[in-house]
């Protein structure tokens, strides 16, 4: 029997909820303040908390965060007569299950409580769920490019992904460039009943307005000039499985409308076709932007956002999980050694110090690329020396970044060692790379905006980022 804690300063509403939930076979306790609710949570186990957002002694977000520290497995439902949309979305991103408007609809409340029971975040103390066993190295999940850490943030992220994988929820994965969003999407797919079916990954950032519809949904013969044959789109290729839409914020508005229909009606229509094709595809989307903010700027459909964020997963940046850093380094050293068919190198004196003082804007992907590059320049003792590190790492951390990543010092950093004289081509390439990094910082790593500011095509930007290991 599920145990529910109801927190509401209005006596009549609190008692009404207690009677209603008790009749529906729930064990219910009540509290009139956040402080009382926290006392109860300290002494008893609850599965769900249903709380008024505007309690007199504590702001709702602070109350939620305190409860989450005490009992991370508890599901949270907020309610209020005045629901601020942005506040509600931010809370759901942090892990709140639902935000309801008063007066509550009894049938809707029961449905939401049922969804809590089936939800990916509900981890019961007596369940058979086993978290990933601690290992001396990060875990690779079938795909050798997938790396997990052992920090608390990493374990919580994996736990959420494994639990939501067993549902058919649409998932929105948020995180900076290079944090491993596609890896997490593959884990969700592998934990689902669809694991034997296709997993189709799509980089929405590389789809131009002209070809996006054809690539995603396919086209009929003669649909446009050059359409000599009919084409099967990514959605049909993923039938029965999962489609992963990376950088979904870059989808053109007209394609967003078609995607919304695919989510709502489970049908697609090929470009140039008149027939609706039923589909059975799970959608996992990823973004490195704030989609709520973009929707308010009319760059992303708000109704599509609410369809996509049925369940939101946040991937922490590498700098937020430095406990995992040595594990990632060891994993990539082993991986690269196998690829190059050579003994595993070790880090020379001072290398780890440079690594840990660097900000890692490209996150795990950037670290992997740096390790791969360094493995080509090991000495006879199979050591990676400081001299083999990329220039961007051979700068003092304080000269490039302060504690806030938004406060980026745009002055060209000076190396800690005297560089060799460079030719004109190398100097120009370095200046170009520096300018690209500056613009990316200015636009919060939105590659579409960066391409516009730099006055180059998006594909050209992707190519240049690959050259500097930032793609």
């Amino acid at each position: 029997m599920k145990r529910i804690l109801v927190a509401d300063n209005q006596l009549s509403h609190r008692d009404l909820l207690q009677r209603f939930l008790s009749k529906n076979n729930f064990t219910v306790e009540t509290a009139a303040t956040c402080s009382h609710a926290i006392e109860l949570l300290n002494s008893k186990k609850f599965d769900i908390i249903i709380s008024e957002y505007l309690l007199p002694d504590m702001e709702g977000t602070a109350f939620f965060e305190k409860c989450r520290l005490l009992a991370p497995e508890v599901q949270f439902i907020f309610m209020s007569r005045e629901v601020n949309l942005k506040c509600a979305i931010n809370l759901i991103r942090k892990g709140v299950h639902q935000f309801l408007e008063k007066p509550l609809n009894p049938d809707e409340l029961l449905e939401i409580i049922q969804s809590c029971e089936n939800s990916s975040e509900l981890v019961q103390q007596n369940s058979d769920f086993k978290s990933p066993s601690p290992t001396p190295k990060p875990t690779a999940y079938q795909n050798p490019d997938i790396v997990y850490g052992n920090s608390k943030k990493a374990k919580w992220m994996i736990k959420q992904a494994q639990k939501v994988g067993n549902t058919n929820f649409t998932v929105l994965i948020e995180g900076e460039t290079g944090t491993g969003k596609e890896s997490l999407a593959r884990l969700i797919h592998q934990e689902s009943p669809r694991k034997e079916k296709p997993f189709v990954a799509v980089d929405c950032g590389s789809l131009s307005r002209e070809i996006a519809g054809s690539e995603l949904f396919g086209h009929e013969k003669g649909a446009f000039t050059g359409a000599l044959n009919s084409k099967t789109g990514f959605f049909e290729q993923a039938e029965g499985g999962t489609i992963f839409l990376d950088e979904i914020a870059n989808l053109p508005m007209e394609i967003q409308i078609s995607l919304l229909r695919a989510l709502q009606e489970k049908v697609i229509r090929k470009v140039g076709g008149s027939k609706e094709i039923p589909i059975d595809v799970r959608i996992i989307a990823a973004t490195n932007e704030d989609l709520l903010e973009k929707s308010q700027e009319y760059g992303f459909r708000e109704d599509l956002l609410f369809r996509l964020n049925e369940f939101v997963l946040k991937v922490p940046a590498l700098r937020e999980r430095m406990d995992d850093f040595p594990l990632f380094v060891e994993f990539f050293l082993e991986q690269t050694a196998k690829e190059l068919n050579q003994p595993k190198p070790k880090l020379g004196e001072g290398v780890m110090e440079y690594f840990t003082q660097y900000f890692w804007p490209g996150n795990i992907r950037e670290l992997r690329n740096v390790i791969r590059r360094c493995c080509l320049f090991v000495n006879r003792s199979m050591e990676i020396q400081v001299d083999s590190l990329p220039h961007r790492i051979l700068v003092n951390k304080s000269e490039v970044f302060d504690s806030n990543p938004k406060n980026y010092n745009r002055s060209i950093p000076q190396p800690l060692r005297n560089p060799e004289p460079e030719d004109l081509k190398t100097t120009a390439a370095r200046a170009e790379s520096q300018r690209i990094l500056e613009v990316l910082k200015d636009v919060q790593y939105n590659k579409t905006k960066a391409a516009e500011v730099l006055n180059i095509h998006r594909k050209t930007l992707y190519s240049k980022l690959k050259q500097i290991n930032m793609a």
Side-chain angles (χ1 to χ4, degrees), residues 273-391:
S274 57
K275 178 183 175 183
E276 289 189 334
I277 304 170
I279 56 165
D280 174 24
V281 176
R282 182 188 195 171
I283 295 177
I284 301 177
T287 180
N288 59 7
E289 298 185 50
D290 186 335
L291 292 186
L292 179 61
E293 182 179 321
K294 187 158 186 175
S295 69
Q296 293 171 345
E297 297 172 354
Y298 306 102
F300 196 84
R301 289 184 65 94
E302 194 175 70
D303 48 1
L304 177 57
L305 169 59
F306 294 144
R307 282 283 178 176
L308 289 172
N309 69 355
E310 234 180 351
F311 190 90
V312 179
L313 272 172
K314 177 73 174 178
V315 185
L318 179 58
R319 60 186 169 274
E320 296 172 4
R321 49 189 299 203
M322 290 303 284
D323 288 350
D324 292 327
F325 192 87
L327 302 177
F328 293 140
V329 171
E330 286 299 308
F331 181 85
F332 292 134
L333 285 172
E334 287 186 3
Q335 188 184 55
T336 308
K338 289 179 182 177
E339 180 184 348
L340 299 177
N341 194 26
Q342 66 181 29
K344 188 181 87 169
K346 56 185 177 181
L347 300 186
E349 184 179 354
V351 172
M352 184 59 80
E353 183 179 348
Y354 275 93
F355 277 172
T356 54
Q357 75 176 7
Y358 182 57
F359 194 72
W360 297 105
N363 292 290
I364 296 174
R365 182 189 295 133
E366 184 183 9
L367 173 61
R368 176 179 178 270
N369 291 340
V370 167
I371 293 294
R372 283 166 58 84
R373 176 188 184 277
C374 289
C375 284
L376 294 175
F377 299 100
V378 293
N379 61 17
R380 291 181 180 179
S381 301
M382 294 304 294
E383 282 189 341
I384 293 174
Q385 299 294 311
V386 168
D387 286 349
S388 67
L389 300 181
H391 166 71

Side-chain angles (χ1 to χ4, degrees), residues 165-167 188-197 240 282:
N166 203 32
T167 72
I188 293 170
H189 175 71
Q190 287 295 326
E191 294 291 333
S192 76
R194 299 173 179 267
K195 63 182 178 181
E196 302 301 329
K197 298 294 183 178
R282 182 188 195 171

Side-chain angles (χ1 to χ4, degrees), residues 56-92:
D57 60 331
M58 192 179 297
E59 189 264 339
T61 302
F63 177 47
F64 165 70
E65 290 174 350
K66 282 182 178 291
C67 291
R68 177 52 60 89
L69 287 173
L70 290 172
E73 72 281 0
V74 172
Q75 285 283 49
F76 231 95
I77 299 172
F78 270 123
M79 54 187 176
S80 179
R81 291 193 180 277
E82 298 179 3
V83 178
N84 180 289
L85 183 59
K86 188 167 185 178
C87 174
I89 292 294
N90 286 335
L91 282 167
I92 289 171

Side-chain angles (χ1 to χ4, degrees), residues 114 156 217 296 341 346 359 361 398 401 403 418 425 437:
Q114 181 62 39
W156 177 243
F217 308 114
Q296 293 171 345
N341 194 26
K346 56 185 177 181
F359 194 72
S398 63
F401 298 102
S403 59
N418 294 324
K425 184 177 180 181
L437 293 174

Side-chain angles (χ1 to χ4, degrees), residues 198-212:
F199 177 91
V200 177
V202 182
D203 181 2
C204 298
S206 65
L207 297 179
S208 67
R209 186 181 302 273
E210 295 75 23
I211 67 169

Side-chain angles (χ1 to χ4, degrees), residues 10 52 67 79 94 127 175 235 239 323 325 378 411 436 442:
Q10 189 177 356
E52 163 64 45
C67 291
M79 54 187 176
K94 290 182 177 181
S127 71
F235 269 86
E239 177 64 24
D323 288 350
F325 192 87
V378 293
S411 63
I436 289 172
D442 286 342

